Amino acid sequence: MGDPCGIGPEVVVRSLADEKIRSLAQFRVYGFSEPMVRAAELIGVEPFWWRVGEGGTAALAAADSGVHRVMLIEPEVKLPSSLDCDARRSTAAGGEASFQFVESALAAAMRPQDDPLAVDGVVTAPISKAAWHLAGRGRWPGHTELVSSRMNAKNTRMMFVAPRLRVMLVTAHIPLYEIRNVLTIGRVHDTISLADEACRSLGVASPRIAVCGLNPHAGEDGLMGDEEKRLVAPAISLAQSQGVDVQGPFPGDTIFNAAVNGRYDIVIAMYHDQGLIPVKLLAFDSAVNMTAGLPRIRTSPDHGTAFDIAWQGKADAGSMSAAIRLAAQAARTAKSGGSIKEGGPMSRTSAQKS
């Protein structure tokens, strides 16, 4: 559900109210009932889900027959009195609630696949990093770090999939001044390898990868920084020697245009905003955040909690719907043991449980 004080409940209900989305999978929503009901009233739909208490193994097993396409898995604890959804800001109560929802979903994802409580993939609605910090969960900068830890994945990256552009980040939720301290040949090379694997899983048979430089003009041959020569170029050369079709480093202010025009299948950005600005400019309501390198599927809409428009009926569910489609598509592929057929990053197939 995401943070109850944000647009998470609304975009979840808006997406799953669409019968085409509901037909893709069986869905389990981890969250509180009251915000879900309120979101349904806000957008003018009747509640369409079946409410189940967390740990209701028998009920979930019975629902596997497919009678109930959407089930709300509600924690045994009641809605905290301190949780005020109308606050429409980061709060400790909202942070703790959203953290627990994610924990429950990840626990389900890591269960054996024949377990009736297991799920094939997780779609995370927006959370507030500030709210997690207020709730004492500041150890985790965001979803990606928590998901990677709970799934015991040591080498993961944030990847963004939009209709005309794919981007993967070498570094994500760290201050700009720290990038130089964490950027290494190995980190850049690992990102290139993950980008190649991820594109293949999305149906790109021979991925063409472009790598951004860190500095303006990709360092201008060392005049504006030497990271390109010391770190980025050696990683690219190593990947090329392993058969990966990768080029660069390119200036970050020009390479995205080439990718959008079809020259490259994915761009590797050195830091968060370098990669996210073009994605959100081109596809704010349709881009999907997908974590590469995990043993299970995890996607998320490419936007935040949007507290400023929460509980006003203004939220656009396009990115959430796209995240659900991609998760269902990937889950179906993983269960079949095949590869996703070409048809664009948003091609639609189905899954059992998401």
Side-chain angles (χ1 to χ4, degrees), residues 229-256:
K229 286 187 173 182
R230 290 191 302 107
L231 306 174
V232 183
I236 292 172
S237 296
L238 178 58
Q240 289 171 336
S241 71
Q242 296 168 336
V244 179
D245 184 357
V246 55
Q247 303 294 325
F250 297 108
D253 60 351
T254 57
I255 191 57
F256 292 99

PDB file of all heavy atoms in Angstrom, residues 229-256:
ATOM      1  N   LYS A 229      38.612   8.294 -17.171  1.00  0.00           N
ATOM      2  CA  LYS A 229      39.810   7.552 -17.596  1.00  0.00           C
ATOM      3  C   LYS A 229      40.200   6.477 -16.591  1.00  0.00           C
ATOM      4  O   LYS A 229      40.606   5.371 -16.961  1.00  0.00           O
ATOM      5  CB  LYS A 229      40.975   8.520 -17.795  1.00  0.00           C
ATOM      6  CG  LYS A 229      40.888   9.372 -19.052  1.00  0.00           C
ATOM      7  CD  LYS A 229      42.168  10.170 -19.242  1.00  0.00           C
ATOM      8  CE  LYS A 229      42.164  10.902 -20.575  1.00  0.00           C
ATOM      9  NZ  LYS A 229      43.431  11.652 -20.803  1.00  0.00           N
ATOM     10  N   ARG A 230      40.100   6.789 -15.296  1.00  0.00           N
ATOM     11  CA  ARG A 230      40.559   5.867 -14.261  1.00  0.00           C
ATOM     12  C   ARG A 230      39.589   4.741 -13.969  1.00  0.00           C
ATOM     13  O   ARG A 230      40.007   3.607 -13.682  1.00  0.00           O
ATOM     14  CB  ARG A 230      40.828   6.628 -12.951  1.00  0.00           C
ATOM     15  CG  ARG A 230      42.007   7.541 -12.928  1.00  0.00           C
ATOM     16  CD  ARG A 230      42.313   8.015 -11.525  1.00  0.00           C
ATOM     17  NE  ARG A 230      41.186   8.701 -10.897  1.00  0.00           N
ATOM     18  CZ  ARG A 230      40.438   8.198  -9.928  1.00  0.00           C
ATOM     19  NH1 ARG A 230      40.675   6.972  -9.465  1.00  0.00           N
ATOM     20  NH2 ARG A 230      39.444   8.902  -9.386  1.00  0.00           N
ATOM     21  N   LEU A 231      38.273   5.034 -14.045  1.00  0.00           N
ATOM     22  CA  LEU A 231      37.277   4.081 -13.554  1.00  0.00           C
ATOM     23  C   LEU A 231      36.281   3.608 -14.606  1.00  0.00           C
ATOM     24  O   LEU A 231      36.021   2.407 -14.714  1.00  0.00           O
ATOM     25  CB  LEU A 231      36.503   4.721 -12.389  1.00  0.00           C
ATOM     26  CG  LEU A 231      37.335   5.276 -11.229  1.00  0.00           C
ATOM     27  CD1 LEU A 231      36.433   6.000 -10.246  1.00  0.00           C
ATOM     28  CD2 LEU A 231      38.101   4.160 -10.549  1.00  0.00           C
ATOM     29  N   VAL A 232      35.721   4.539 -15.351  1.00  0.00           N
ATOM     30  CA  VAL A 232      34.637   4.178 -16.253  1.00  0.00           C
ATOM     31  C   VAL A 232      35.151   3.470 -17.505  1.00  0.00           C
ATOM     32  O   VAL A 232      34.661   2.389 -17.872  1.00  0.00           O
ATOM     33  CB  VAL A 232      33.814   5.424 -16.644  1.00  0.00           C
ATOM     34  CG1 VAL A 232      32.640   5.021 -17.534  1.00  0.00           C
ATOM     35  CG2 VAL A 232      33.321   6.144 -15.397  1.00  0.00           C
ATOM     36  N   ALA A 233      36.133   4.051 -18.164  1.00  0.00           N
ATOM     37  CA  ALA A 233      36.655   3.447 -19.394  1.00  0.00           C
ATOM     38  C   ALA A 233      37.228   2.041 -19.165  1.00  0.00           C
ATOM     39  O   ALA A 233      36.960   1.135 -19.967  1.00  0.00           O
ATOM     40  CB  ALA A 233      37.715   4.363 -20.022  1.00  0.00           C
ATOM     41  N   PRO A 234      38.011   1.802 -18.100  1.00  0.00           N
ATOM     42  CA  PRO A 234      38.502   0.432 -17.868  1.00  0.00           C
ATOM     43  C   PRO A 234      37.369  -0.581 -17.664  1.00  0.00           C
ATOM     44  O   PRO A 234      37.470  -1.729 -18.116  1.00  0.00           O
ATOM     45  CB  PRO A 234      39.347   0.575 -16.604  1.00  0.00           C
ATOM     46  CG  PRO A 234      39.790   1.998 -16.601  1.00  0.00           C
ATOM     47  CD  PRO A 234      38.630   2.762 -17.160  1.00  0.00           C
ATOM     48  N   ALA A 235      36.300  -0.172 -16.987  1.00  0.00           N
ATOM     49  CA  ALA A 235      35.160  -1.078 -16.788  1.00  0.00           C
ATOM     50  C   ALA A 235      34.495  -1.404 -18.118  1.00  0.00           C
ATOM     51  O   ALA A 235      34.096  -2.554 -18.362  1.00  0.00           O
ATOM     52  CB  ALA A 235      34.153  -0.433 -15.836  1.00  0.00           C
ATOM     53  N   ILE A 236      34.369  -0.401 -18.977  1.00  0.00           N
ATOM     54  CA  ILE A 236      33.781  -0.624 -20.298  1.00  0.00           C
ATOM     55  C   ILE A 236      34.656  -1.576 -21.110  1.00  0.00           C
ATOM     56  O   ILE A 236      34.152  -2.514 -21.749  1.00  0.00           O
ATOM     57  CB  ILE A 236      33.602   0.717 -21.030  1.00  0.00           C
ATOM     58  CG1 ILE A 236      32.534   1.564 -20.331  1.00  0.00           C
ATOM     59  CG2 ILE A 236      33.239   0.494 -22.498  1.00  0.00           C
ATOM     60  CD1 ILE A 236      32.424   2.984 -20.857  1.00  0.00           C
ATOM     61  N   SER A 237      35.971  -1.363 -21.081  1.00  0.00           N
ATOM     62  CA  SER A 237      36.889  -2.232 -21.829  1.00  0.00           C
ATOM     63  C   SER A 237      36.808  -3.673 -21.345  1.00  0.00           C
ATOM     64  O   SER A 237      36.832  -4.613 -22.156  1.00  0.00           O
ATOM     65  CB  SER A 237      38.329  -1.715 -21.679  1.00  0.00           C
ATOM     66  OG  SER A 237      38.475  -0.431 -22.264  1.00  0.00           O
ATOM     67  N   LEU A 238      36.706  -3.862 -20.029  1.00  0.00           N
ATOM     68  CA  LEU A 238      36.599  -5.211 -19.473  1.00  0.00           C
ATOM     69  C   LEU A 238      35.318  -5.887 -19.957  1.00  0.00           C
ATOM     70  O   LEU A 238      35.324  -7.059 -20.357  1.00  0.00           O
ATOM     71  CB  LEU A 238      36.620  -5.146 -17.950  1.00  0.00           C
ATOM     72  CG  LEU A 238      36.457  -6.482 -17.206  1.00  0.00           C
ATOM     73  CD1 LEU A 238      37.541  -7.465 -17.618  1.00  0.00           C
ATOM     74  CD2 LEU A 238      36.465  -6.254 -15.696  1.00  0.00           C
ATOM     75  N   ALA A 239      34.207  -5.165 -19.927  1.00  0.00           N
ATOM     76  CA  ALA A 239      32.940  -5.730 -20.392  1.00  0.00           C
ATOM     77  C   ALA A 239      32.988  -6.057 -21.883  1.00  0.00           C
ATOM     78  O   ALA A 239      32.460  -7.090 -22.326  1.00  0.00           O
ATOM     79  CB  ALA A 239      31.798  -4.763 -20.089  1.00  0.00           C
ATOM     80  N   GLN A 240      33.618  -5.187 -22.651  1.00  0.00           N
ATOM     81  CA  GLN A 240      33.747  -5.446 -24.086  1.00  0.00           C
ATOM     82  C   GLN A 240      34.543  -6.723 -24.345  1.00  0.00           C
ATOM     83  O   GLN A 240      34.200  -7.511 -25.237  1.00  0.00           O
ATOM     84  CB  GLN A 240      34.418  -4.259 -24.778  1.00  0.00           C
ATOM     85  CG  GLN A 240      33.543  -3.019 -24.861  1.00  0.00           C
ATOM     86  CD  GLN A 240      34.305  -1.797 -25.360  1.00  0.00           C
ATOM     87  OE1 GLN A 240      35.539  -1.713 -25.228  1.00  0.00           O
ATOM     88  NE2 GLN A 240      33.581  -0.829 -25.908  1.00  0.00           N
ATOM     89  N   SER A 241      35.597  -6.952 -23.550  1.00  0.00           N
ATOM     90  CA  SER A 241      36.405  -8.164 -23.715  1.00  0.00           C
ATOM     91  C   SER A 241      35.623  -9.428 -23.375  1.00  0.00           C
ATOM     92  O   SER A 241      36.005 -10.535 -23.787  1.00  0.00           O
ATOM     93  CB  SER A 241      37.656  -8.083 -22.832  1.00  0.00           C
ATOM     94  OG  SER A 241      37.323  -8.209 -21.454  1.00  0.00           O
ATOM     95  N   GLN A 242      34.510  -9.251 -22.653  1.00  0.00           N
ATOM     96  CA  GLN A 242      33.641 -10.373 -22.282  1.00  0.00           C
ATOM     97  C   GLN A 242      32.466 -10.531 -23.237  1.00  0.00           C
ATOM     98  O   GLN A 242      31.554 -11.325 -22.989  1.00  0.00           O
ATOM     99  CB  GLN A 242      33.142 -10.173 -20.850  1.00  0.00           C
ATOM    100  CG  GLN A 242      34.262 -10.192 -19.822  1.00  0.00           C
ATOM    101  CD  GLN A 242      33.822  -9.719 -18.444  1.00  0.00           C
ATOM    102  OE1 GLN A 242      32.847  -8.967 -18.326  1.00  0.00           O
ATOM    103  NE2 GLN A 242      34.516 -10.165 -17.410  1.00  0.00           N
ATOM    104  N   GLY A 243      32.473  -9.760 -24.312  1.00  0.00           N
ATOM    105  CA  GLY A 243      31.455  -9.905 -25.342  1.00  0.00           C
ATOM    106  C   GLY A 243      30.246  -9.016 -25.200  1.00  0.00           C
ATOM    107  O   GLY A 243      29.273  -9.176 -25.940  1.00  0.00           O
ATOM    108  N   VAL A 244      30.263  -8.068 -24.263  1.00  0.00           N
ATOM    109  CA  VAL A 244      29.124  -7.165 -24.071  1.00  0.00           C
ATOM    110  C   VAL A 244      29.229  -6.008 -25.057  1.00  0.00           C
ATOM    111  O   VAL A 244      30.300  -5.416 -25.237  1.00  0.00           O
ATOM    112  CB  VAL A 244      29.084  -6.632 -22.630  1.00  0.00           C
ATOM    113  CG1 VAL A 244      27.904  -5.681 -22.453  1.00  0.00           C
ATOM    114  CG2 VAL A 244      28.993  -7.782 -21.639  1.00  0.00           C
ATOM    115  N   ASP A 245      28.132  -5.666 -25.694  1.00  0.00           N
ATOM    116  CA  ASP A 245      28.091  -4.545 -26.629  1.00  0.00           C
ATOM    117  C   ASP A 245      27.848  -3.271 -25.838  1.00  0.00           C
ATOM    118  O   ASP A 245      26.709  -2.849 -25.623  1.00  0.00           O
ATOM    119  CB  ASP A 245      26.973  -4.761 -27.648  1.00  0.00           C
ATOM    120  CG  ASP A 245      26.935  -3.676 -28.730  1.00  0.00           C
ATOM    121  OD1 ASP A 245      27.742  -2.728 -28.656  1.00  0.00           O
ATOM    122  OD2 ASP A 245      26.085  -3.774 -29.636  1.00  0.00           O
ATOM    123  N   VAL A 246      28.913  -2.650 -25.375  1.00  0.00           N
ATOM    124  CA  VAL A 246      28.819  -1.460 -24.536  1.00  0.00           C
ATOM    125  C   VAL A 246      29.785  -0.407 -25.052  1.00  0.00           C
ATOM    126  O   VAL A 246      30.903  -0.716 -25.470  1.00  0.00           O
ATOM    127  CB  VAL A 246      29.119  -1.805 -23.059  1.00  0.00           C
ATOM    128  CG1 VAL A 246      30.468  -2.483 -22.894  1.00  0.00           C
ATOM    129  CG2 VAL A 246      29.012  -0.570 -22.177  1.00  0.00           C
ATOM    130  N   GLN A 247      29.339   0.855 -25.022  1.00  0.00           N
ATOM    131  CA  GLN A 247      30.135   1.972 -25.510  1.00  0.00           C
ATOM    132  C   GLN A 247      30.137   3.095 -24.485  1.00  0.00           C
ATOM    133  O   GLN A 247      29.251   3.199 -23.656  1.00  0.00           O
ATOM    134  CB  GLN A 247      29.566   2.487 -26.836  1.00  0.00           C
ATOM    135  CG  GLN A 247      29.457   1.450 -27.939  1.00  0.00           C
ATOM    136  CD  GLN A 247      30.797   0.939 -28.414  1.00  0.00           C
ATOM    137  OE1 GLN A 247      31.778   1.702 -28.452  1.00  0.00           O
ATOM    138  NE2 GLN A 247      30.858  -0.328 -28.774  1.00  0.00           N
ATOM    139  N   GLY A 248      31.140   3.967 -24.566  1.00  0.00           N
ATOM    140  CA  GLY A 248      31.217   5.126 -23.694  1.00  0.00           C
ATOM    141  C   GLY A 248      32.641   5.340 -23.201  1.00  0.00           C
ATOM    142  O   GLY A 248      33.571   4.681 -23.684  1.00  0.00           O
ATOM    143  N   PRO A 249      32.822   6.203 -22.203  1.00  0.00           N
ATOM    144  CA  PRO A 249      31.800   7.031 -21.556  1.00  0.00           C
ATOM    145  C   PRO A 249      31.375   8.218 -22.427  1.00  0.00           C
ATOM    146  O   PRO A 249      32.193   8.818 -23.104  1.00  0.00           O
ATOM    147  CB  PRO A 249      32.489   7.512 -20.279  1.00  0.00           C
ATOM    148  CG  PRO A 249      33.954   7.489 -20.608  1.00  0.00           C
ATOM    149  CD  PRO A 249      34.147   6.355 -21.564  1.00  0.00           C
ATOM    150  N   PHE A 250      30.076   8.525 -22.349  1.00  0.00           N
ATOM    151  CA  PHE A 250      29.496   9.611 -23.120  1.00  0.00           C
ATOM    152  C   PHE A 250      29.067  10.739 -22.183  1.00  0.00           C
ATOM    153  O   PHE A 250      28.723  10.498 -21.024  1.00  0.00           O
ATOM    154  CB  PHE A 250      28.256   9.126 -23.878  1.00  0.00           C
ATOM    155  CG  PHE A 250      28.525   8.073 -24.901  1.00  0.00           C
ATOM    156  CD1 PHE A 250      28.125   6.758 -24.691  1.00  0.00           C
ATOM    157  CD2 PHE A 250      29.168   8.387 -26.092  1.00  0.00           C
ATOM    158  CE1 PHE A 250      28.356   5.777 -25.640  1.00  0.00           C
ATOM    159  CE2 PHE A 250      29.406   7.415 -27.052  1.00  0.00           C
ATOM    160  CZ  PHE A 250      28.999   6.105 -26.826  1.00  0.00           C
ATOM    161  N   PRO A 251      29.028  11.969 -22.670  1.00  0.00           N
ATOM    162  CA  PRO A 251      28.482  13.066 -21.862  1.00  0.00           C
ATOM    163  C   PRO A 251      27.025  12.798 -21.508  1.00  0.00           C
ATOM    164  O   PRO A 251      26.224  12.407 -22.368  1.00  0.00           O
ATOM    165  CB  PRO A 251      28.618  14.288 -22.778  1.00  0.00           C
ATOM    166  CG  PRO A 251      29.714  13.930 -23.732  1.00  0.00           C
ATOM    167  CD  PRO A 251      29.571  12.452 -23.958  1.00  0.00           C
ATOM    168  N   GLY A 252      26.682  13.029 -20.248  1.00  0.00           N
ATOM    169  CA  GLY A 252      25.326  12.755 -19.800  1.00  0.00           C
ATOM    170  C   GLY A 252      24.276  13.671 -20.394  1.00  0.00           C
ATOM    171  O   GLY A 252      23.084  13.349 -20.357  1.00  0.00           O
ATOM    172  N   ASP A 253      24.692  14.797 -20.980  1.00  0.00           N
ATOM    173  CA  ASP A 253      23.697  15.734 -21.510  1.00  0.00           C
ATOM    174  C   ASP A 253      23.324  15.448 -22.957  1.00  0.00           C
ATOM    175  O   ASP A 253      22.463  16.136 -23.517  1.00  0.00           O
ATOM    176  CB  ASP A 253      24.185  17.179 -21.362  1.00  0.00           C
ATOM    177  CG  ASP A 253      25.489  17.456 -22.106  1.00  0.00           C
ATOM    178  OD1 ASP A 253      26.102  16.487 -22.602  1.00  0.00           O
ATOM    179  OD2 ASP A 253      25.894  18.634 -22.185  1.00  0.00           O
ATOM    180  N   THR A 254      23.935  14.427 -23.572  1.00  0.00           N
ATOM    181  CA  THR A 254      23.625  14.129 -24.972  1.00  0.00           C
ATOM    182  C   THR A 254      23.242  12.667 -25.214  1.00  0.00           C
ATOM    183  O   THR A 254      22.469  12.376 -26.135  1.00  0.00           O
ATOM    184  CB  THR A 254      24.820  14.456 -25.890  1.00  0.00           C
ATOM    185  OG1 THR A 254      25.972  13.715 -25.448  1.00  0.00           O
ATOM    186  CG2 THR A 254      25.137  15.943 -25.853  1.00  0.00           C
ATOM    187  N   ILE A 255      23.729  11.750 -24.413  1.00  0.00           N
ATOM    188  CA  ILE A 255      23.569  10.331 -24.726  1.00  0.00           C
ATOM    189  C   ILE A 255      22.121   9.856 -24.623  1.00  0.00           C
ATOM    190  O   ILE A 255      21.699   8.944 -25.339  1.00  0.00           O
ATOM    191  CB  ILE A 255      24.491   9.468 -23.829  1.00  0.00           C
ATOM    192  CG1 ILE A 255      24.521   8.020 -24.342  1.00  0.00           C
ATOM    193  CG2 ILE A 255      24.052   9.532 -22.377  1.00  0.00           C
ATOM    194  CD1 ILE A 255      24.954   7.871 -25.777  1.00  0.00           C
ATOM    195  N   PHE A 256      21.330  10.469 -23.758  1.00  0.00           N
ATOM    196  CA  PHE A 256      19.950  10.012 -23.608  1.00  0.00           C
ATOM    197  C   PHE A 256      19.142  10.264 -24.877  1.00  0.00           C
ATOM    198  O   PHE A 256      18.247   9.487 -25.219  1.00  0.00           O
ATOM    199  CB  PHE A 256      19.286  10.694 -22.406  1.00  0.00           C
ATOM    200  CG  PHE A 256      19.865  10.251 -21.093  1.00  0.00           C
ATOM    201  CD1 PHE A 256      20.817  11.022 -20.447  1.00  0.00           C
ATOM    202  CD2 PHE A 256      19.473   9.053 -20.515  1.00  0.00           C
ATOM    203  CE1 PHE A 256      21.359  10.608 -19.235  1.00  0.00           C
ATOM    204  CE2 PHE A 256      20.009   8.629 -19.317  1.00  0.00           C
ATOM    205  CZ  PHE A 256      20.958   9.407 -18.671  1.00  0.00           C
TER     206      PHE A 256
END
